[in-house]
Amino acid sequence: MASGEIDPDNEFPNGEMRILGLIGDPVSQVRAPAPMTQRLRHAGLNAALVPLHVPAAVLPLAFGCLKLIRNLDGLVITVPHKIPMAELVDHCSERARLVGAINVARREADSSWSGDILDGVGFVRGLKQRGFNPEGQSAFVIGAGGAGCAVAAELAMAGAVVRVFDVSPDRVSALVKRLSRADYPVTAADTPDPHGARLVVNATSLGMKPDDPLPLDPALLSSQMLVADVVMKPRVTSFLEQARARGCEIQLGEAVMLFQLDAQIEFFREHLAARAPTR
């Protein structure tokens, strides 16, 4: 083949490509598009993950428009859309109903949309990969938004005893009620004090901006704690820097993304393969 010519068998992207959109407000911090697209290609799928900045104020309108794009087969959902998107899709998994949020959604064969939440799955897989088994451990989770609910629920399902703090007591109360009905040991914390916890998790967006306050007073951390974050950019947040300075083990926010990619591929793969030829 002469220089500059296109090999149609290896051309990518191409007109037959299937699209997955990553929606958030903002999306400049997301790191998933490249590794997700690589995994899709490695799985033999002619598909890519594309970031889409969708302002929160227009989410219902934007989702209605996205559903009209015929080669868009699914969405990966990040802050602040995880909770409202659970109300916009047609079906939610049992895990998503328990959490009250979704971070993936796919178009079904009948054109309805189904959602699931995999943030907690990725978080717990990351813990286990590093040799930390949540079963029987005490965990303190800061944040009861989409990511916080997912992390708290998955930790509880893995056998941890979980306390959750959020600046909105109503959000924590709603989470505790949902999990308590399913007999999972989750309680609300009145203050952001992780005393007695073996695992401490910042599941808020605090740390994305340089002038963000810390999610809790780092003086309350001890060297026996494993401290984790869900923020991916910066890679090492100020909170994790403070924790490491106090002798804590840390888990980066990127673990949530990296260890749930395979679960996301499983969620999308069958439907993508049914709609497009592989390359």
Side-chain angles (χ1 to χ4, degrees):
M1 177 174 293
S3 175
E5 290 185 4
I6 296 174
D7 179 354
D9 292 329
N10 294 315
E11 181 185 345
F12 184 83
N14 53 75
E16 295 176 342
M17 185 182 77
R18 310 304 295 182
I19 297 172
L20 299 175
L22 191 157
I23 62 170
D25 184 17
V27 291
S28 58
Q29 80 284 0
V30 300
R31 298 181 58 194
M36 181 68 162
T37 299
Q38 290 168 1
R39 280 169 167 79
L40 290 165
R41 298 289 288 158
H42 184 72
L45 295 166
N46 184 18
L49 179 65
V50 179
L52 304 170
H53 189 165
V54 176
V58 299
L59 178 63
L61 174 63
F63 181 49
C65 293
L66 288 169
K67 290 191 290 185
L68 300 176
I69 300 173
R70 301 315 302 168
N71 63 339
L72 186 139
D73 293 331
L75 296 170
V76 176
I77 301 145
T78 189
V79 292
H81 301 327
K82 296 177 184 182
I83 292 175
M85 275 297 296
E87 299 295 326
L88 295 176
V89 296
D90 302 294
H91 317 287
C92 283
S93 69
E94 185 61 33
R95 179 192 285 112
R97 284 192 288 271
L98 192 64
V99 172
I102 63 173
N103 80 319
V104 286
R106 69 187 179 209
R107 190 196 306 268
E108 303 289 0
D110 63 359
S111 294
S112 66
W113 281 73
S114 298
D116 202 350
I117 183 79
L118 301 175
D119 283 329
V121 173
F123 182 81
V124 169
R125 286 183 181 181
L127 290 178
K128 291 182 176 179
Q129 179 70 20
R130 67 179 299 128
F132 183 93
N133 185 352
E135 185 175 4
Q137 302 284 5
S138 174
F140 187 81
V141 178
I142 310 137
C149 289
V151 167
E154 204 69 28
L155 285 170
M157 289 187 279
V161 178
V162 184
R163 289 185 294 140
V164 182
F165 171 80
D166 192 276
V167 292
S168 169
D170 290 343
R171 289 204 298 191
V172 179
S173 177
L175 172 64
V176 169
K177 285 179 181 177
R178 290 195 302 271
L179 292 174
S180 295
R181 284 196 294 265
D183 295 324
Y184 290 115
V186 177
T187 57
D190 296 327
T191 61
D193 184 350
H195 180 75
R198 175 69 177 87
L199 172 68
V200 179
V201 187
N202 172 38
T204 75
S205 61
L206 293 175
M208 287 175 57
K209 300 175 183 177
D211 57 350
D212 277 346
L214 295 174
L216 58 74
D217 183 352
L220 298 172
L221 301 174
S222 72
S223 59
Q224 290 75 41
M225 295 172 174
L226 169 60
V227 178
D229 211 321
V230 302
V231 172
M232 287 185 285
K233 188 177 180 180
R235 189 167 182 265
V236 181
T237 61
S238 296
F239 181 54
L240 292 182
E241 288 177 349
Q242 292 282 348
R244 188 160 57 186
R246 284 162 174 74
C248 302
E249 291 183 77
I250 64 170
Q251 176 162 295
L252 304 181
E254 66 186 26
V256 177
M257 180 265 292
L258 291 173
F259 286 98
Q260 71 169 299
L261 286 177
D262 288 341
Q264 290 183 357
I265 294 290
E266 293 162 12
F267 180 80
F268 291 119
R269 180 171 184 168
E270 179 182 346
H271 301 264
L272 287 168
R275 289 185 168 93
T278 58
R279 286 183 177 266

